[in-house]
Amino acid sequence: MSPTDASQATIDWLLDSDPSIRWQVMRDLSDEPEDVVAAERGRVATEGWGARLLALQGSDGRWGGGTYQPKWTSTTNTLALLRDLGLDPASERASNALSQVREKVKWNDHPDAPWAENPYFVGEVEPCINARVIAIGSYFGQDVQVLVDRLLGEQLPDGGWNCEAENGSTRSSFHTTINVLEGFLEHERATGTTEATEARLRGQQYLLERGLLRRLSTGEVVDPAWTYFFFPTRWHYDVLRGLDYLRSAGVEPDERCAEAIELVEKRRGDDGRWIMHYSYPGEVHFDMEEGEGHPSRWITLGALRVLEWSSGHSPSK
């Protein structure tokens, strides 16, 4: 089988799936007309995984009976997944679901916490969690300005963010930083404002200066698990997530991305697919993949669009 045939076989395999995958393949890999992509995206709200997730929202506006807990069926994790699926924010079902969240959901998983009565889009105190709410709220057209302002004031001197800063940490975390970067980028796109751009670019440099996976001080790989890929990523960092952020932000890859891009290519199987190496423990609403050790459409989609982004550029230049 020629490389071209293998590529087309992989695309066909991706298209033989849920609307949430199909519309992104059409947009990012097969260059379908915009109206075709939009029509397929519109099916996410009414068919397949997106429709199933929307139907699980409780009368109290929450999923899983909680705001951030339990993992991974809570309101925050479900909304983040709906964003990953590409649910059209303008759809009636999305609008109705988000109205329920905005009007009813508070951060009262821990009733004694000082932020327990905060409305959902006012957030709580952890930068990682608040960053995810910024991404969710911005994507779905909600006002999250108070959280943007808060995170702008929590950036650390090295350019990133860390949930442990309140406990004295002065060094940033890849996990927290990638969540903030994604949140700020989504907010910029949704509002057209650039108030967070300078902070986002500094955070972006934090990742790039470390080659997306290494310690600046010693050059060691921070966590070998980051060289394997996951879906959903939840709040966790991995190399593919870092690269996909750079792709989405329109960053031109340079030598600082080279090792990470090579790692993505290295993980490709002979069948042109990428497997799910691990899954994070915890309850899920339902399975969307075959599981660990099996080819993953989500990871394959992400890897292929990262490699498409990097093609035509020479990371060594």
Side-chain angles (χ1 to χ4, degrees):
M1 180 179 288
S2 72
T4 301
D5 289 339
S7 176
Q8 187 57 53
T10 302
I11 296 296
D12 290 344
W13 173 69
L14 290 172
L15 290 170
D16 183 23
S17 59
D18 189 79
S20 58
I21 293 179
R22 284 200 298 269
W23 85 266
Q24 296 185 61
V25 173
M26 292 174 176
R27 179 193 63 183
D28 298 332
L29 301 177
S30 59
D31 260 350
E32 295 286 348
E34 288 186 11
D35 60 332
V36 174
V37 175
E40 189 63 34
R41 185 186 188 189
R43 297 172 63 187
V44 175
T46 59
E47 301 178 25
W49 299 326
R52 289 179 67 183
L53 289 172
L54 287 167
L56 292 171
Q57 186 178 26
S59 59
D60 60 357
R62 301 186 298 177
W63 281 266
T67 305
Y68 193 73
Q69 304 289 346
K71 298 176 180 176
W72 303 102
T73 58
S74 68
T75 303
T76 299
N77 288 293
T78 305
L79 288 172
L81 184 53
L82 285 166
R83 173 177 168 260
D84 287 337
L85 300 188
L87 174 66
D88 186 348
S91 69
E92 183 178 358
R93 294 196 69 188
S95 179
N96 290 341
L98 269 293
S99 293
Q100 294 290 304
V101 173
R102 184 180 62 250
E103 294 166 9
K104 296 181 179 180
V105 178
K106 298 183 178 180
W107 291 91
N108 51 12
D109 289 340
H110 303 286
D112 296 330
W115 57 86
E117 292 303 307
N118 283 5
Y120 184 76
F121 292 108
V122 172
E124 46 121 284
V125 294
E126 285 200 22
C128 186
I129 295 173
N130 286 338
R132 298 184 77 196
V133 176
I134 290 174
I136 291 164
S138 298
Y139 180 83
F140 286 110
Q142 306 300 309
D143 181 2
V144 289
Q145 187 63 48
V146 64
L147 291 177
V148 173
D149 293 341
R150 177 172 185 137
L151 282 169
L152 284 172
E154 293 177 341
Q155 190 169 25
L156 296 173
D158 61 10
W161 288 262
N162 193 335
C163 286
E164 294 299 319
E166 64 176 344
N167 296 322
S169 178
T170 58
R171 292 186 295 182
S172 295
S173 155
F174 278 70
H175 296 299
T176 307
T177 300
I178 193 62
N179 282 284
V180 177
L181 292 177
E182 291 172 349
F184 278 0
L185 182 61
E186 197 72 75
H187 187 257
E188 288 174 42
R189 287 175 171 164
T191 64
T193 62
T194 57
E195 62 183 318
T197 302
E198 182 179 350
R200 181 176 63 80
L201 293 178
R202 285 181 58 211
Q204 188 172 291
Q205 289 303 308
Y206 170 86
L207 296 183
L208 287 167
E209 287 167 359
R210 292 156 177 79
L212 281 77
L213 76 161
R214 295 187 176 274
R215 298 186 190 281
L216 192 61
S217 56
T218 65
E220 297 175 288
V221 172
V222 179
D223 187 342
W226 296 353
T227 68
Y228 297 90
F229 313 133
F230 308 83
F231 185 85
T233 49
R234 314 299 186 184
W235 54 265
H236 307 82
Y237 178 83
D238 67 42
V239 165
L240 182 56
R241 184 175 182 181
L243 286 169
D244 203 39
Y245 158 77
L246 294 175
R247 176 200 65 83
S248 184
V251 177
E252 183 170 326
D254 59 26
E255 69 281 355
R256 296 171 296 178
C257 304
E259 182 181 17
I261 292 168
E262 288 168 7
L263 276 167
V264 173
E265 181 60 59
K266 178 183 176 181
R267 298 289 181 228
R268 189 203 303 247
D270 292 339
D271 59 358
R273 306 172 186 182
W274 280 256
I275 69 168
M276 176 83 72
H277 287 94
Y278 310 107
S279 57
Y280 295 109
E283 184 180 356
V284 296
H285 292 297
F286 49 83
D287 292 324
M288 297 190 297
E289 305 261 29
E290 291 184 73
E292 296 177 15
H294 294 276
S296 163
R297 285 183 171 86
W298 283 111
I299 295 171
T300 299
L301 167 62
L304 285 175
R305 65 186 173 195
V306 159
L307 294 179
E308 177 75 15
W309 159 74
S310 68
S311 67
H313 300 284
S314 175
S316 62
K317 293 181 180 178

